[in-house]
Amino acid sequence: KSAGVSACPMRAYSGLVLAGLCAAAAGTPVRVMVTGAGGRTGALTFKKLAERPLEFAPVGLVRSGKAAKRLRKVGGATESQILRCDVTDAVALAQSMGDAKIEALVICTSAVPQIKKWSLVKVLMGKLLRRAGGRPEFHFPAGGTPEEVDYYGTLAQVDAAKKAGVGHIVLVSSMGGTDRTNFLNTIARQPSGVGGDILVWKRKSEKYIAASGVPYTIIHPGGLIDEPGGKRHIVAGINDDLIKRPVRNIPRDDVAAVCVQALLSPGARNRAFDIITDPVGEGAPTSDWPAFFGKIAGLAAYDYSIDPGEPPAAFPNGLPKK
């Protein structure tokens, strides 16, 4: 917990924290919490925020000691910049946000599937014997399904942010949420139908954010790749139209850069959009962020009436109390 950080005098303006203007006017950096900060995209986002100390004072929220170690290594976080909390616990989250005087929230949490080792052995043996071995199989760890993390976990973060008076929420989601048949929705889906549908659960949480009354920016990146950022032209769109392109990847580092710039760009408020990158060498690398978000503001509103259907729920009445 940091002391001596005064509340931003511009917060009262329609509940918005205009990050760059506020930092310049008040002379204090905006307090930003990055959740899922121990993940690859979250750690990069934290790092980029920390590299702008005159504008931002980031805090990274993690769940485990392993994630904290990764945030220290990748994001350069100090112990005082790391908080531990379960993102499904709205009460504890609101307390953490209030204590740290958080003004903006970047949500990078996501359910992460784990490969079933025996299925990988089966695939390899099939190849050795020149037989069809099928595909590797995945599972989500206990407490880490898309329903629990991407839906209820996101809802808890939004509720906590509202209670703590946070003025801007940036969510890193995924492209593909309009299509229930997307392959990613089949990962770790159980015979009963529950356990999968990660893109559908993400989309449900997006609708909740859009209706929350808190200014938001929802980012749908294409396939995430671990390559250097700042070398490609970023292409923006809506409603999964970019999925039709033959190449629809984007470096995590570029996604992190868009998160940071969204906090500085009034044109990013109350917008949802998709992003991918052109291959290196095709188009100038994106660096004019006012122009980029000017194009975002010129896009049609994201259409949440496109409904992929209701996913089967393992917790139809909400998560059990802890």
Side-chain angles (χ1 to χ4, degrees):
K1 175 181 175 180
S2 297
V5 180
S6 59
C8 171
M10 298 183 70
R11 172 182 277 179
Y13 184 75
S14 299
L16 274 172
V17 177
L18 298 179
L21 297 177
C22 181
T28 57
V30 175
R31 302 282 296 173
V32 183
M33 176 177 283
V34 181
T35 61
R40 286 179 286 177
T41 305
L44 289 170
T45 302
F46 178 94
K47 183 173 184 261
K48 288 186 179 297
L49 290 167
E51 289 171 346
R52 306 175 73 127
L54 296 180
E55 296 163 299
F56 301 111
V59 174
L61 191 81
V62 300
R63 189 174 184 177
S64 67
K66 183 178 179 181
K69 182 178 179 180
R70 194 158 51 236
L71 178 56
R72 287 192 292 269
K73 180 179 179 180
V74 178
T78 63
E79 205 59 41
S80 64
Q81 293 175 308
I82 300 175
L83 293 175
R84 292 192 192 183
C85 188
D86 182 348
V87 295
T88 64
D89 189 340
V91 175
L93 274 172
Q95 183 68 48
S96 295
M97 290 179 189
D99 289 347
K101 298 182 173 62
I102 297 301
E103 298 170 290
L105 172 66
V106 181
I107 301 175
C108 295
T109 49
S110 178
V112 179
Q114 298 177 352
I115 195 166
K116 293 181 178 179
K117 294 181 180 179
W118 66 265
S119 72
L120 188 59
V121 172
K122 184 178 178 181
V123 172
L124 293 174
M125 289 299 295
K127 289 184 177 180
L128 287 173
L129 299 174
R130 296 183 179 180
R131 297 175 181 174
R135 291 180 174 178
E137 296 180 21
F138 296 85
H139 72 99
F140 289 102
T145 66
E147 182 181 358
E148 292 166 285
V149 177
D150 293 286
Y151 183 60
Y152 286 114
T154 301
L155 265 57
Q157 292 178 69
V158 174
D159 292 344
K162 289 182 69 173
K163 187 174 181 179
V166 169
H168 186 192
I169 297 174
V170 176
L171 171 70
V172 179
S173 188
S174 298
M175 275 175 53
T178 62
D179 182 11
R180 180 70 178 277
T181 65
N182 190 294
F183 168 73
L184 293 178
N185 286 321
T186 69
I187 292 177
R189 184 185 286 159
Q190 300 175 21
S192 64
V194 304
D197 290 306
I198 186 168
L199 300 181
V200 184
W201 286 115
K202 284 178 182 289
R203 188 173 179 83
K204 280 177 63 69
S205 71
E206 292 172 26
K207 292 181 179 180
Y208 189 82
I209 290 175
S212 70
V214 181
Y216 66 88
T217 305
I218 298 172
I219 302 168
H220 305 115
L224 296 170
I225 54 177
D226 295 313
E227 294 185 9
K231 299 181 180 299
R232 302 166 183 249
H233 176 69
I234 302 175
V235 182
I238 58 171
N239 300 330
D240 288 340
D241 287 342
L242 297 179
I243 286 182
K244 302 170 187 175
R245 291 197 171 208
V247 179
R248 45 187 184 273
N249 296 327
I250 184 168
R252 293 177 187 274
D253 196 66
D254 284 329
V255 176
V258 173
C259 289
V260 173
Q261 294 298 330
L263 293 171
L264 294 167
S265 304
R269 301 308 195 276
N270 298 324
R271 304 293 306 192
F273 53 89
D274 312 331
I275 50 172
I276 61 173
T277 52
D278 287 328
V280 175
E282 294 186 16
T286 298
S287 59
D288 186 342
W289 294 107
F292 175 80
F293 281 104
K295 291 180 180 179
I296 296 292
L299 294 173
Y302 199 88
D303 188 0
Y304 279 111
S305 69
I306 302 173
D307 188 4
E310 193 70 16
F315 306 96
N317 299 316
L319 297 181
K321 297 290 185 180
K322 295 183 178 182

